[in-house]
PDB file of all heavy atoms in Angstrom:
ATOM      1  N   THR U   4      -0.186   7.987   0.119  1.00  0.00           N
ATOM      2  CA  THR U   4      -0.365   8.936  -0.929  1.00  0.00           C
ATOM      3  C   THR U   4       0.376  10.237  -0.645  1.00  0.00           C
ATOM      4  O   THR U   4       0.327  10.752   0.520  1.00  0.00           O
ATOM      5  CB  THR U   4      -1.865   9.305  -1.047  1.00  0.00           C
ATOM      6  OG1 THR U   4      -2.595   8.124  -0.813  1.00  0.00           O
ATOM      7  CG2 THR U   4      -2.192   9.926  -2.347  1.00  0.00           C
ATOM      8  N   PRO U   9      -2.618  22.803  -2.196  1.00  0.00           N
ATOM      9  CA  PRO U   9      -2.757  23.599  -0.934  1.00  0.00           C
ATOM     10  C   PRO U   9      -3.626  22.948   0.137  1.00  0.00           C
ATOM     11  O   PRO U   9      -4.079  21.816  -0.085  1.00  0.00           O
ATOM     12  CB  PRO U   9      -3.463  24.861  -1.465  1.00  0.00           C
ATOM     13  CG  PRO U   9      -4.147  24.450  -2.681  1.00  0.00           C
ATOM     14  CD  PRO U   9      -3.423  23.296  -3.294  1.00  0.00           C
ATOM     15  N   ALA U  10      -3.857  23.604   1.200  1.00  0.00           N
ATOM     16  CA  ALA U  10      -4.699  23.095   2.284  1.00  0.00           C
ATOM     17  C   ALA U  10      -4.179  21.809   2.821  1.00  0.00           C
ATOM     18  O   ALA U  10      -4.868  20.810   2.882  1.00  0.00           O
ATOM     19  CB  ALA U  10      -6.156  22.981   1.823  1.00  0.00           C
ATOM     20  N   ARG U  11      -2.894  21.804   3.152  1.00  0.00           N
ATOM     21  CA  ARG U  11      -2.315  20.498   3.619  1.00  0.00           C
ATOM     22  C   ARG U  11      -2.667  20.241   5.096  1.00  0.00           C
ATOM     23  O   ARG U  11      -2.871  19.126   5.409  1.00  0.00           O
ATOM     24  CB  ARG U  11      -0.839  20.551   3.485  1.00  0.00           C
ATOM     25  CG  ARG U  11      -0.464  20.643   2.080  1.00  0.00           C
ATOM     26  CD  ARG U  11       0.996  20.892   1.873  1.00  0.00           C
ATOM     27  NE  ARG U  11       1.187  20.973   0.437  1.00  0.00           N
ATOM     28  CZ  ARG U  11       2.276  20.707  -0.187  1.00  0.00           C
ATOM     29  NH1 ARG U  11       3.284  20.273   0.501  1.00  0.00           N
ATOM     30  NH2 ARG U  11       2.333  20.841  -1.487  1.00  0.00           N
ATOM     31  N   TYR U  18     -10.880  14.810   8.763  1.00  0.00           N
ATOM     32  CA  TYR U  18     -11.654  13.852   9.548  1.00  0.00           C
ATOM     33  C   TYR U  18     -13.137  13.869   9.201  1.00  0.00           C
ATOM     34  O   TYR U  18     -13.808  12.822   9.143  1.00  0.00           O
ATOM     35  CB  TYR U  18     -11.414  13.990  11.065  1.00  0.00           C
ATOM     36  CG  TYR U  18     -10.001  13.585  11.490  1.00  0.00           C
ATOM     37  CD1 TYR U  18      -9.262  14.416  12.267  1.00  0.00           C
ATOM     38  CD2 TYR U  18      -9.440  12.424  11.053  1.00  0.00           C
ATOM     39  CE1 TYR U  18      -7.958  14.054  12.638  1.00  0.00           C
ATOM     40  CE2 TYR U  18      -8.171  12.067  11.377  1.00  0.00           C
ATOM     41  CZ  TYR U  18      -7.401  12.892  12.194  1.00  0.00           C
ATOM     42  OH  TYR U  18      -6.181  12.520  12.558  1.00  0.00           O
ATOM     43  N   LEU U  20     -14.365  14.747   6.309  1.00  0.00           N
ATOM     44  CA  LEU U  20     -14.546  14.154   5.038  1.00  0.00           C
ATOM     45  C   LEU U  20     -14.529  12.650   5.097  1.00  0.00           C
ATOM     46  O   LEU U  20     -15.232  11.959   4.350  1.00  0.00           O
ATOM     47  CB  LEU U  20     -13.430  14.645   4.063  1.00  0.00           C
ATOM     48  CG  LEU U  20     -13.490  16.095   3.573  1.00  0.00           C
ATOM     49  CD1 LEU U  20     -12.245  16.458   2.862  1.00  0.00           C
ATOM     50  CD2 LEU U  20     -14.674  16.250   2.626  1.00  0.00           C
ATOM     51  N   PHE U  31     -20.127  -1.891   8.553  1.00  0.00           N
ATOM     52  CA  PHE U  31     -20.654  -3.002   7.695  1.00  0.00           C
ATOM     53  C   PHE U  31     -19.531  -3.825   7.054  1.00  0.00           C
ATOM     54  O   PHE U  31     -19.851  -4.663   6.237  1.00  0.00           O
ATOM     55  CB  PHE U  31     -21.595  -2.351   6.648  1.00  0.00           C
ATOM     56  CG  PHE U  31     -22.730  -1.686   7.226  1.00  0.00           C
ATOM     57  CD1 PHE U  31     -22.956  -0.298   7.082  1.00  0.00           C
ATOM     58  CD2 PHE U  31     -23.702  -2.385   7.978  1.00  0.00           C
ATOM     59  CE1 PHE U  31     -24.030   0.304   7.647  1.00  0.00           C
ATOM     60  CE2 PHE U  31     -24.791  -1.760   8.538  1.00  0.00           C
ATOM     61  CZ  PHE U  31     -24.953  -0.439   8.408  1.00  0.00           C
ATOM     62  N   SER U  38     -18.373 -10.463  13.894  1.00  0.00           N
ATOM     63  CA  SER U  38     -19.559 -11.262  14.038  1.00  0.00           C
ATOM     64  C   SER U  38     -19.349 -12.703  13.427  1.00  0.00           C
ATOM     65  O   SER U  38     -19.702 -13.684  14.036  1.00  0.00           O
ATOM     66  CB  SER U  38     -20.714 -10.563  13.413  1.00  0.00           C
ATOM     67  OG  SER U  38     -21.880 -11.332  13.454  1.00  0.00           O
ATOM     68  N   TYR U  97       0.184  -4.105 -23.056  1.00  0.00           N
ATOM     69  CA  TYR U  97       1.364  -3.501 -23.641  1.00  0.00           C
ATOM     70  C   TYR U  97       1.025  -2.700 -24.871  1.00  0.00           C
ATOM     71  O   TYR U  97       1.426  -1.569 -25.081  1.00  0.00           O
ATOM     72  CB  TYR U  97       2.354  -4.641 -24.020  1.00  0.00           C
ATOM     73  CG  TYR U  97       3.723  -4.154 -24.501  1.00  0.00           C
ATOM     74  CD1 TYR U  97       4.766  -3.947 -23.638  1.00  0.00           C
ATOM     75  CD2 TYR U  97       3.888  -3.852 -25.843  1.00  0.00           C
ATOM     76  CE1 TYR U  97       5.981  -3.540 -24.076  1.00  0.00           C
ATOM     77  CE2 TYR U  97       5.155  -3.408 -26.331  1.00  0.00           C
ATOM     78  CZ  TYR U  97       6.196  -3.280 -25.383  1.00  0.00           C
ATOM     79  OH  TYR U  97       7.380  -2.797 -25.839  1.00  0.00           O
ATOM     80  N   ALA U 116     -15.762  -2.869 -20.888  1.00  0.00           N
ATOM     81  CA  ALA U 116     -17.126  -3.055 -21.418  1.00  0.00           C
ATOM     82  C   ALA U 116     -17.769  -4.380 -20.879  1.00  0.00           C
ATOM     83  O   ALA U 116     -18.970  -4.354 -20.550  1.00  0.00           O
ATOM     84  CB  ALA U 116     -17.146  -3.026 -22.928  1.00  0.00           C
ATOM     85  N   SER U 121     -24.021  -8.797 -18.017  1.00  0.00           N
ATOM     86  CA  SER U 121     -24.258  -9.641 -16.846  1.00  0.00           C
ATOM     87  C   SER U 121     -23.167 -10.738 -16.677  1.00  0.00           C
ATOM     88  O   SER U 121     -22.892 -11.536 -17.557  1.00  0.00           O
ATOM     89  CB  SER U 121     -25.587 -10.295 -16.887  1.00  0.00           C
ATOM     90  OG  SER U 121     -25.681 -11.420 -16.028  1.00  0.00           O
ATOM     91  N   PHE U 122     -22.562 -10.783 -15.463  1.00  0.00           N
ATOM     92  CA  PHE U 122     -21.560 -11.749 -15.105  1.00  0.00           C
ATOM     93  C   PHE U 122     -22.102 -13.193 -15.277  1.00  0.00           C
ATOM     94  O   PHE U 122     -21.481 -14.031 -15.877  1.00  0.00           O
ATOM     95  CB  PHE U 122     -21.081 -11.545 -13.654  1.00  0.00           C
ATOM     96  CG  PHE U 122     -19.993 -12.412 -13.137  1.00  0.00           C
ATOM     97  CD1 PHE U 122     -18.677 -12.041 -13.174  1.00  0.00           C
ATOM     98  CD2 PHE U 122     -20.322 -13.654 -12.588  1.00  0.00           C
ATOM     99  CE1 PHE U 122     -17.701 -12.853 -12.676  1.00  0.00           C
ATOM    100  CE2 PHE U 122     -19.343 -14.504 -12.123  1.00  0.00           C
ATOM    101  CZ  PHE U 122     -17.994 -14.091 -12.138  1.00  0.00           C
ATOM    102  N   LEU U 123     -23.300 -13.368 -14.732  1.00  0.00           N
ATOM    103  CA  LEU U 123     -23.945 -14.674 -14.767  1.00  0.00           C
ATOM    104  C   LEU U 123     -24.223 -15.138 -16.230  1.00  0.00           C
ATOM    105  O   LEU U 123     -23.924 -16.258 -16.598  1.00  0.00           O
ATOM    106  CB  LEU U 123     -25.230 -14.712 -13.983  1.00  0.00           C
ATOM    107  CG  LEU U 123     -25.077 -14.577 -12.480  1.00  0.00           C
ATOM    108  CD1 LEU U 123     -26.475 -14.433 -11.810  1.00  0.00           C
ATOM    109  CD2 LEU U 123     -24.368 -15.763 -11.899  1.00  0.00           C
ATOM    110  N   THR U 131     -22.532 -22.587 -23.938  1.00  0.00           N
ATOM    111  CA  THR U 131     -22.770 -22.731 -25.362  1.00  0.00           C
ATOM    112  C   THR U 131     -21.447 -22.864 -26.117  1.00  0.00           C
ATOM    113  O   THR U 131     -21.327 -23.755 -26.993  1.00  0.00           O
ATOM    114  CB  THR U 131     -23.536 -21.489 -25.912  1.00  0.00           C
ATOM    115  OG1 THR U 131     -24.704 -21.312 -25.147  1.00  0.00           O
ATOM    116  CG2 THR U 131     -23.861 -21.575 -27.342  1.00  0.00           C
ATOM    117  N   TYR U 167     -11.477 -16.096 -17.965  1.00  0.00           N
ATOM    118  CA  TYR U 167     -12.184 -15.133 -18.771  1.00  0.00           C
ATOM    119  C   TYR U 167     -12.763 -14.013 -17.815  1.00  0.00           C
ATOM    120  O   TYR U 167     -12.652 -12.862 -18.102  1.00  0.00           O
ATOM    121  CB  TYR U 167     -13.272 -15.808 -19.601  1.00  0.00           C
ATOM    122  CG  TYR U 167     -14.223 -14.762 -20.143  1.00  0.00           C
ATOM    123  CD1 TYR U 167     -13.810 -14.074 -21.334  1.00  0.00           C
ATOM    124  CD2 TYR U 167     -15.424 -14.400 -19.580  1.00  0.00           C
ATOM    125  CE1 TYR U 167     -14.662 -13.078 -21.845  1.00  0.00           C
ATOM    126  CE2 TYR U 167     -16.222 -13.423 -20.060  1.00  0.00           C
ATOM    127  CZ  TYR U 167     -15.863 -12.788 -21.220  1.00  0.00           C
ATOM    128  OH  TYR U 167     -16.663 -11.787 -21.732  1.00  0.00           O
ATOM    129  N   GLU U 234     -20.073 -23.793 -10.253  1.00  0.00           N
ATOM    130  CA  GLU U 234     -21.478 -24.197 -10.234  1.00  0.00           C
ATOM    131  C   GLU U 234     -22.016 -24.375 -11.613  1.00  0.00           C
ATOM    132  O   GLU U 234     -22.696 -25.302 -11.943  1.00  0.00           O
ATOM    133  CB  GLU U 234     -22.257 -23.166  -9.436  1.00  0.00           C
ATOM    134  CG  GLU U 234     -23.662 -23.527  -9.099  1.00  0.00           C
ATOM    135  CD  GLU U 234     -23.767 -24.599  -8.039  1.00  0.00           C
ATOM    136  OE1 GLU U 234     -23.046 -24.513  -7.089  1.00  0.00           O
ATOM    137  OE2 GLU U 234     -24.637 -25.536  -8.227  1.00  0.00           O
ATOM    138  N   VAL U 289      -1.981  -0.087  -3.931  1.00  0.00           N
ATOM    139  CA  VAL U 289      -3.144   0.732  -4.278  1.00  0.00           C
ATOM    140  C   VAL U 289      -2.739   2.007  -4.957  1.00  0.00           C
ATOM    141  O   VAL U 289      -1.874   2.691  -4.371  1.00  0.00           O
ATOM    142  CB  VAL U 289      -4.065   0.966  -3.071  1.00  0.00           C
ATOM    143  CG1 VAL U 289      -5.285   1.670  -3.503  1.00  0.00           C
ATOM    144  CG2 VAL U 289      -4.369  -0.316  -2.351  1.00  0.00           C
TER     145      VAL U 289
ATOM    146  N   LEU H   9       1.927  -7.944 -32.562  1.00  0.00           N
ATOM    147  CA  LEU H   9       1.460  -7.485 -31.290  1.00  0.00           C
ATOM    148  C   LEU H   9       0.027  -6.925 -31.410  1.00  0.00           C
ATOM    149  O   LEU H   9      -0.873  -7.265 -30.610  1.00  0.00           O
ATOM    150  CB  LEU H   9       2.322  -6.462 -30.647  1.00  0.00           C
ATOM    151  CG  LEU H   9       2.015  -5.987 -29.283  1.00  0.00           C
ATOM    152  CD1 LEU H   9       2.181  -7.089 -28.256  1.00  0.00           C
ATOM    153  CD2 LEU H   9       2.809  -4.793 -28.894  1.00  0.00           C
ATOM    154  N   LEU H  20     -12.644 -11.175 -25.274  1.00  0.00           N
ATOM    155  CA  LEU H  20     -13.487 -10.613 -24.201  1.00  0.00           C
ATOM    156  C   LEU H  20     -14.914 -10.433 -24.633  1.00  0.00           C
ATOM    157  O   LEU H  20     -15.813 -10.490 -23.819  1.00  0.00           O
ATOM    158  CB  LEU H  20     -12.899  -9.183 -23.872  1.00  0.00           C
ATOM    159  CG  LEU H  20     -11.788  -9.100 -22.879  1.00  0.00           C
ATOM    160  CD1 LEU H  20     -11.210  -7.703 -22.775  1.00  0.00           C
ATOM    161  CD2 LEU H  20     -12.191  -9.564 -21.522  1.00  0.00           C
ATOM    162  N   THR H  41     -29.675 -22.341 -24.834  1.00  0.00           N
ATOM    163  CA  THR H  41     -28.224 -22.405 -24.934  1.00  0.00           C
ATOM    164  C   THR H  41     -27.765 -22.704 -26.371  1.00  0.00           C
ATOM    165  O   THR H  41     -26.600 -22.576 -26.641  1.00  0.00           O
ATOM    166  CB  THR H  41     -27.611 -23.473 -24.008  1.00  0.00           C
ATOM    167  OG1 THR H  41     -28.383 -24.695 -24.207  1.00  0.00           O
ATOM    168  CG2 THR H  41     -27.716 -23.098 -22.582  1.00  0.00           C
ATOM    169  N   MET H  84     -15.411  12.013  -0.964  1.00  0.00           N
ATOM    170  CA  MET H  84     -14.980  12.686   0.276  1.00  0.00           C
ATOM    171  C   MET H  84     -13.707  12.021   0.835  1.00  0.00           C
ATOM    172  O   MET H  84     -12.703  12.692   1.139  1.00  0.00           O
ATOM    173  CB  MET H  84     -16.077  12.637   1.329  1.00  0.00           C
ATOM    174  CG  MET H  84     -17.211  13.596   0.993  1.00  0.00           C
ATOM    175  SD  MET H  84     -18.690  13.277   1.986  1.00  0.00           S
ATOM    176  CE  MET H  84     -18.164  13.802   3.625  1.00  0.00           C
ATOM    177  N   ARG H  91      -5.594  15.379  -0.295  1.00  0.00           N
ATOM    178  CA  ARG H  91      -5.391  16.772  -0.093  1.00  0.00           C
ATOM    179  C   ARG H  91      -4.976  17.134   1.360  1.00  0.00           C
ATOM    180  O   ARG H  91      -4.583  18.239   1.615  1.00  0.00           O
ATOM    181  CB  ARG H  91      -6.699  17.551  -0.454  1.00  0.00           C
ATOM    182  CG  ARG H  91      -6.896  17.731  -1.904  1.00  0.00           C
ATOM    183  CD  ARG H  91      -5.945  18.660  -2.496  1.00  0.00           C
ATOM    184  NE  ARG H  91      -6.192  18.819  -3.950  1.00  0.00           N
ATOM    185  CZ  ARG H  91      -5.593  18.086  -4.851  1.00  0.00           C
ATOM    186  NH1 ARG H  91      -4.745  17.155  -4.538  1.00  0.00           N
ATOM    187  NH2 ARG H  91      -5.849  18.281  -6.159  1.00  0.00           N
ATOM    188  N   ARG H  93      -3.133  16.233   5.337  1.00  0.00           N
ATOM    189  CA  ARG H  93      -2.178  15.443   6.115  1.00  0.00           C
ATOM    190  C   ARG H  93      -2.834  15.254   7.448  1.00  0.00           C
ATOM    191  O   ARG H  93      -3.264  16.201   8.068  1.00  0.00           O
ATOM    192  CB  ARG H  93      -0.860  16.161   6.187  1.00  0.00           C
ATOM    193  CG  ARG H  93       0.228  15.305   6.742  1.00  0.00           C
ATOM    194  CD  ARG H  93       1.528  16.079   6.663  1.00  0.00           C
ATOM    195  NE  ARG H  93       1.997  16.305   5.264  1.00  0.00           N
ATOM    196  CZ  ARG H  93       2.874  17.208   4.938  1.00  0.00           C
ATOM    197  NH1 ARG H  93       3.412  18.009   5.816  1.00  0.00           N
ATOM    198  NH2 ARG H  93       3.227  17.311   3.667  1.00  0.00           N
ATOM    199  N   ARG H  95      -3.280  12.287  11.087  1.00  0.00           N
ATOM    200  CA  ARG H  95      -2.927  11.013  11.752  1.00  0.00           C
ATOM    201  C   ARG H  95      -3.959   9.964  11.341  1.00  0.00           C
ATOM    202  O   ARG H  95      -5.161  10.267  11.186  1.00  0.00           O
ATOM    203  CB  ARG H  95      -3.041  11.194  13.244  1.00  0.00           C
ATOM    204  CG  ARG H  95      -1.725  11.440  13.953  1.00  0.00           C
ATOM    205  CD  ARG H  95      -2.073  11.924  15.348  1.00  0.00           C
ATOM    206  NE  ARG H  95      -0.981  12.499  15.949  1.00  0.00           N
ATOM    207  CZ  ARG H  95      -0.266  11.879  16.935  1.00  0.00           C
ATOM    208  NH1 ARG H  95      -0.689  10.758  17.372  1.00  0.00           N
ATOM    209  NH2 ARG H  95       0.745  12.492  17.487  1.00  0.00           N
ATOM    210  N   PHE H 105      -8.600  -0.620   1.455  1.00  0.00           N
ATOM    211  CA  PHE H 105      -8.077  -1.706   0.638  1.00  0.00           C
ATOM    212  C   PHE H 105      -8.617  -3.067   0.958  1.00  0.00           C
ATOM    213  O   PHE H 105      -8.928  -3.826   0.058  1.00  0.00           O
ATOM    214  CB  PHE H 105      -6.527  -1.686   0.767  1.00  0.00           C
ATOM    215  CG  PHE H 105      -5.875  -2.833   0.088  1.00  0.00           C
ATOM    216  CD1 PHE H 105      -5.773  -2.892  -1.282  1.00  0.00           C
ATOM    217  CD2 PHE H 105      -5.326  -3.929   0.787  1.00  0.00           C
ATOM    218  CE1 PHE H 105      -5.213  -3.959  -1.971  1.00  0.00           C
ATOM    219  CE2 PHE H 105      -4.738  -4.972   0.172  1.00  0.00           C
ATOM    220  CZ  PHE H 105      -4.665  -5.050  -1.211  1.00  0.00           C
ATOM    221  N   ALA H 109      -9.754  -6.779  -1.105  1.00  0.00           N
ATOM    222  CA  ALA H 109      -8.902  -7.971  -1.039  1.00  0.00           C
ATOM    223  C   ALA H 109      -9.602  -9.114  -0.359  1.00  0.00           C
ATOM    224  O   ALA H 109      -9.038 -10.128  -0.088  1.00  0.00           O
ATOM    225  CB  ALA H 109      -7.636  -7.660  -0.284  1.00  0.00           C
ATOM    226  N   LEU H 115     -17.338 -11.584   2.200  1.00  0.00           N
ATOM    227  CA  LEU H 115     -18.080 -10.370   2.557  1.00  0.00           C
ATOM    228  C   LEU H 115     -19.565 -10.687   2.739  1.00  0.00           C
ATOM    229  O   LEU H 115     -20.158 -10.166   3.690  1.00  0.00           O
ATOM    230  CB  LEU H 115     -17.966  -9.341   1.337  1.00  0.00           C
ATOM    231  CG  LEU H 115     -16.608  -8.669   1.137  1.00  0.00           C
ATOM    232  CD1 LEU H 115     -16.673  -7.785  -0.093  1.00  0.00           C
ATOM    233  CD2 LEU H 115     -16.219  -7.886   2.351  1.00  0.00           C
ATOM    234  N   ASN H 125     -27.339 -12.187  13.576  1.00  0.00           N
ATOM    235  CA  ASN H 125     -27.114 -11.929  15.004  1.00  0.00           C
ATOM    236  C   ASN H 125     -28.008 -10.774  15.512  1.00  0.00           C
ATOM    237  O   ASN H 125     -28.458 -10.764  16.642  1.00  0.00           O
ATOM    238  CB  ASN H 125     -25.678 -11.685  15.337  1.00  0.00           C
ATOM    239  CG  ASN H 125     -24.868 -12.938  15.239  1.00  0.00           C
ATOM    240  OD1 ASN H 125     -25.433 -14.060  15.409  1.00  0.00           O
ATOM    241  ND2 ASN H 125     -23.562 -12.838  14.984  1.00  0.00           N
ATOM    242  N   ILE H 137     -27.340  -1.704   1.948  1.00  0.00           N
ATOM    243  CA  ILE H 137     -26.152  -1.548   2.879  1.00  0.00           C
ATOM    244  C   ILE H 137     -24.951  -2.242   2.325  1.00  0.00           C
ATOM    245  O   ILE H 137     -23.899  -1.678   2.260  1.00  0.00           O
ATOM    246  CB  ILE H 137     -26.541  -2.083   4.298  1.00  0.00           C
ATOM    247  CG1 ILE H 137     -27.471  -1.171   4.973  1.00  0.00           C
ATOM    248  CG2 ILE H 137     -25.264  -2.320   5.104  1.00  0.00           C
ATOM    249  CD1 ILE H 137     -28.072  -1.709   6.310  1.00  0.00           C
ATOM    250  N   GLN H 156      -4.862  12.768  -8.067  1.00  0.00           N
ATOM    251  CA  GLN H 156      -3.381  12.752  -8.056  1.00  0.00           C
ATOM    252  C   GLN H 156      -2.877  13.224  -9.384  1.00  0.00           C
ATOM    253  O   GLN H 156      -1.734  13.741  -9.493  1.00  0.00           O
ATOM    254  CB  GLN H 156      -2.847  11.330  -7.732  1.00  0.00           C
ATOM    255  CG  GLN H 156      -2.864  11.074  -6.227  1.00  0.00           C
ATOM    256  CD  GLN H 156      -2.681   9.608  -5.937  1.00  0.00           C
ATOM    257  OE1 GLN H 156      -2.941   8.771  -6.737  1.00  0.00           O
ATOM    258  NE2 GLN H 156      -2.250   9.307  -4.701  1.00  0.00           N
ATOM    259  N   GLN H 167      -6.308  30.076  -4.850  1.00  0.00           N
ATOM    260  CA  GLN H 167      -6.118  30.586  -3.467  1.00  0.00           C
ATOM    261  C   GLN H 167      -5.344  31.891  -3.528  1.00  0.00           C
ATOM    262  O   GLN H 167      -5.605  32.829  -2.701  1.00  0.00           O
ATOM    263  CB  GLN H 167      -5.363  29.581  -2.641  1.00  0.00           C
ATOM    264  CG  GLN H 167      -6.140  28.243  -2.611  1.00  0.00           C
ATOM    265  CD  GLN H 167      -6.184  27.636  -1.272  1.00  0.00           C
ATOM    266  OE1 GLN H 167      -5.135  27.493  -0.613  1.00  0.00           O
ATOM    267  NE2 GLN H 167      -7.402  27.204  -0.841  1.00  0.00           N
ATOM    268  N   ASP H 202     -24.813  -5.537 -11.140  1.00  0.00           N
ATOM    269  CA  ASP H 202     -24.499  -6.897 -11.577  1.00  0.00           C
ATOM    270  C   ASP H 202     -24.180  -7.836 -10.422  1.00  0.00           C
ATOM    271  O   ASP H 202     -23.870  -9.032 -10.617  1.00  0.00           O
ATOM    272  CB  ASP H 202     -23.318  -6.852 -12.544  1.00  0.00           C
ATOM    273  CG  ASP H 202     -23.185  -8.090 -13.387  1.00  0.00           C
ATOM    274  OD1 ASP H 202     -24.252  -8.721 -13.618  1.00  0.00           O
ATOM    275  OD2 ASP H 202     -22.129  -8.500 -13.699  1.00  0.00           O
ATOM    276  N   PRO H 218     -29.764 -10.160 -11.007  1.00  0.00           N
ATOM    277  CA  PRO H 218     -28.875 -11.338 -11.012  1.00  0.00           C
ATOM    278  C   PRO H 218     -29.432 -12.541 -10.256  1.00  0.00           C
ATOM    279  O   PRO H 218     -29.274 -13.685 -10.648  1.00  0.00           O
ATOM    280  CB  PRO H 218     -27.623 -10.817 -10.357  1.00  0.00           C
ATOM    281  CG  PRO H 218     -27.619  -9.335 -10.566  1.00  0.00           C
ATOM    282  CD  PRO H 218     -29.057  -8.962 -10.499  1.00  0.00           C
ATOM    283  N   TRP H 222     -30.040 -16.330 -11.641  1.00  0.00           N
ATOM    284  CA  TRP H 222     -29.503 -17.497 -10.966  1.00  0.00           C
ATOM    285  C   TRP H 222     -30.634 -18.497 -10.713  1.00  0.00           C
ATOM    286  O   TRP H 222     -30.490 -19.733 -10.966  1.00  0.00           O
ATOM    287  CB  TRP H 222     -28.852 -17.147  -9.670  1.00  0.00           C
ATOM    288  CG  TRP H 222     -28.201 -18.217  -8.907  1.00  0.00           C
ATOM    289  CD1 TRP H 222     -28.737 -18.893  -7.854  1.00  0.00           C
ATOM    290  CD2 TRP H 222     -26.957 -18.833  -9.143  1.00  0.00           C
ATOM    291  NE1 TRP H 222     -27.860 -19.855  -7.427  1.00  0.00           N
ATOM    292  CE2 TRP H 222     -26.813 -19.835  -8.182  1.00  0.00           C
ATOM    293  CE3 TRP H 222     -25.952 -18.603 -10.065  1.00  0.00           C
ATOM    294  CZ2 TRP H 222     -25.599 -20.623  -8.117  1.00  0.00           C
ATOM    295  CZ3 TRP H 222     -24.810 -19.400 -10.078  1.00  0.00           C
ATOM    296  CH2 TRP H 222     -24.653 -20.400  -9.099  1.00  0.00           C
ATOM    297  N   PHE H 241     -26.137  -3.564 -21.922  1.00  0.00           N
ATOM    298  CA  PHE H 241     -24.793  -3.511 -22.378  1.00  0.00           C
ATOM    299  C   PHE H 241     -24.642  -2.523 -23.507  1.00  0.00           C
ATOM    300  O   PHE H 241     -23.745  -1.707 -23.494  1.00  0.00           O
ATOM    301  CB  PHE H 241     -24.420  -4.876 -22.869  1.00  0.00           C
ATOM    302  CG  PHE H 241     -23.079  -4.936 -23.541  1.00  0.00           C
ATOM    303  CD1 PHE H 241     -21.887  -4.890 -22.729  1.00  0.00           C
ATOM    304  CD2 PHE H 241     -22.906  -4.966 -24.936  1.00  0.00           C
ATOM    305  CE1 PHE H 241     -20.672  -4.898 -23.356  1.00  0.00           C
ATOM    306  CE2 PHE H 241     -21.704  -4.979 -25.495  1.00  0.00           C
ATOM    307  CZ  PHE H 241     -20.542  -4.960 -24.739  1.00  0.00           C
TER     308      PHE H 241
END
Side-chain angles (χ1 to χ4, degrees):
Chain U
T4 322
R11 295 172 183 208
Y18 291 131
L20 287 171
F31 299 116
S38 176
Y97 186 94
S121 160
F122 182 97
L123 290 173
T131 305
Y167 169 79
E234 188 73 42
V289 185
Chain H
L9 184 68
L20 277 172
T41 50
M84 287 165 71
R91 286 288 181 268
R93 192 174 291 163
R95 261 167 196 252
F105 173 71
L115 290 177
N125 286 336
I137 286 173
Q156 281 165 337
Q167 303 222 311
D202 198 31
W222 182 260
F241 174 76

